[in-house]
C-alpha cells in the first residue's frame, strides 16, 4: 500500500493507549517507559501538565512510531519502524520548548539531528542507559535488615536522598520538584517508595510506571557511607520479588552505563539487558 504517513495527536492518555498499546506491547520491555508514563497520566490525570501524546501510522495502517511528553520533561520516543515518522514528529512539535529527547540510541540521534536542523542550536549526549528486564529473582547474599514501605515520618530523609540521587545520577538540581514528587509517591500517586531498614533506613527504591504486564523499579539510592554492603541488591531483589508475587510478569530497570557497579549488581539478581537508551539534551 502506498500513500503518506499520518500523525495523530491525543488529548487523553486513555485514547493514546487504546491506539498505541497493542503495538507498544509487542516490545513491552523496550517500551516500558512510554507505556508506564502514559498509564500514570491516565490513572493520575492531575499529576503532570497537559501531555503531548502522538502516534505516526504508515500507509499500511500500522503504527510506525509513538511519542509522549509531560512538560517540562524530555520527549520520549518509542522504537521507530520507519525514520520518516520522525519528520512528522519534528514538524508537529515545532512550537514546543523541547529540552531533549529519550529513546533508543539510533532513534534519539536521528530525531536530534532533525530537530537541530529545523531549530538551530546543537545536541549533546546527556546519559547513556541500558534497559533491563527481570522475570525471576536470583536471591542475593543475605544482609541484615528488611524492606519496608516509606512513611510520612521518613519524608525529610526521602527528600534529601531523592535530591542526592538527582544530582548524582541525572544532574537535576530542582529541589522543589523533588519535594513535590516525594509527596506524590508517599500518597501512592504514580509510584510507591520503599526502604531497606537496618536499624534505620540504609537504601531507597521506588516502584512505579506500571505497564500491561510489568512495572519499573527505580530510582535506587544508597548514601555513599552505606554502599558496598549489599543493601541496594537486597532492596531491589525484595521489591522485584514482591511485584512478581503480586502477579507482574516482568520488572524493568534502567542503569547508567557509566556506572559499572549498578550494571553488575542488578544482573547478579536476575536482570537481563534488553536494549540501550540515550538521553539527548538540546543546547542553544
Amino acid at each position: 500500500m502506498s500513500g503518506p504517513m499520518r500523525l495523530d495527536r491525543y488529548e487523553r492518555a486513555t485514547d493514546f493507549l487504546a491506539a498505541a498499546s497493542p503495538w507498544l506491547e509487542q516490545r513491552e520491555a523496550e517500551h516500558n517507559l512510554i507505556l508506564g508514563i502514559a498509564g500514570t497520566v491516565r490513572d493520575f490525570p492531575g499529576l503532570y501538565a497537559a501531555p503531548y501524546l502522538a502516534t505516526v501510522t504508515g500507509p499500511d495502517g500500522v503504527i510506525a512510531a509513538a511519542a509522549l511528553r509531560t512538560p517540562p520533561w524530555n520527549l520520549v520516543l518509542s522504537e521507530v519502524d520507519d525514520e520518516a515518522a520522525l519528520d512528522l514528529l519534528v514538524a508537529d512539535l515545532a512550537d514546543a520548548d523541547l529540552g531533549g529527547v529519550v529513546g533508543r540510541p539510533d532513534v534519539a540521534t536521528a530525531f536530534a539531528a532533525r530537530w537541530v536542523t529545523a531549530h538551530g542550536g546543537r545536541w549533546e549526549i546527556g546519559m547513556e542507559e541500558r534497559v533491563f528486564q527481570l522475570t525471576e529473582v536470583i536471591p542475593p547474599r543475605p544482609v541484615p535488615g528488611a524492606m519496608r514501605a516509606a512513611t510520612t515520618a521518613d519524608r525529610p530523609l526521602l527528600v534529601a536522598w531523592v535530591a542526592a540521587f538527582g544530582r548524582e545520577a541525572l544532574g537535576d538540581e530542582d529541589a522543589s520538584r523533588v519535594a513535590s514528587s516525594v509527596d506524590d509517591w508517599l500518597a501512592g500517586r504514580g509510584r510507591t517508595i520503599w526502604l531497606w531498614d537496618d536499624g534505620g533506613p540504609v537504601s531507597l527504591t521506588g516502584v512505579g510506571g506500571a505497564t500491561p504486564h510489568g512495572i519499573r523499579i527505580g530510582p535506587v539510592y544508597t548514601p555513599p557511607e552505606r554502599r558496598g554492603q549489599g543493601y541496594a541488591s537486597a532492596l531491589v531483589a525484595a521489591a522485584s520479588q514482591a511485584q512478581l508475587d503480586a502477579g507482574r510478569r516482568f520488572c524493568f530497570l534502567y542503569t547508567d552505563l557509566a556506572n559499572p557497579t549498578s550494571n553488575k549488581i542488578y544482573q547478579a539478581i536476575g536482570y537481563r539487558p534488553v536494549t540501550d537508551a540515550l538521553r539527548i539534551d538540546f543546547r542553544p
Side-chain angles (χ1 to χ4, degrees), residues 83-160:
E83 283 196 3
L86 298 175
D87 296 317
L88 275 71
L89 288 166
V90 168
D92 195 53
L93 286 158
D95 296 330
D97 182 17
L98 195 59
V101 62
V102 177
R104 197 178 70 195
D106 59 328
V107 170
T109 53
F111 180 92
R114 288 165 166 81
W115 184 261
V116 299
T117 296
H119 297 277
R122 60 185 176 85
W123 62 267
E124 62 185 30
I125 294 174
M127 181 179 290
E128 296 176 277
E129 297 179 289
R130 182 155 291 157
V131 182
F132 288 81
Q133 175 180 282
L134 172 144
T135 57
E136 182 178 357
V137 174
I138 300 171
R141 65 177 175 86
V143 298
M147 183 176 76
R148 68 168 175 86
T151 70
T152 54
D154 299 305
R155 184 183 183 277
L157 180 71
L158 302 178
V159 170

Side-chain angles (χ1 to χ4, degrees), residues 148 154 157-158 161 195-204 223 225-226 231:
R148 68 168 175 86
D154 299 305
L157 180 71
L158 302 178
W161 281 7
L195 296 167
W196 192 266
D197 198 306
D198 178 18
V202 292
S203 190
L204 169 154
E225 67 275 12
R226 293 290 193 169
Y231 291 129

Side-chain angles (χ1 to χ4, degrees), residues 70-91:
T70 52
W73 302 102
N74 289 345
L75 183 73
V76 180
L77 289 173
S78 70
E79 302 275 298
V80 174
D81 293 336
D82 185 337
E83 283 196 3
L86 298 175
D87 296 317
L88 275 71
L89 288 166
V90 168

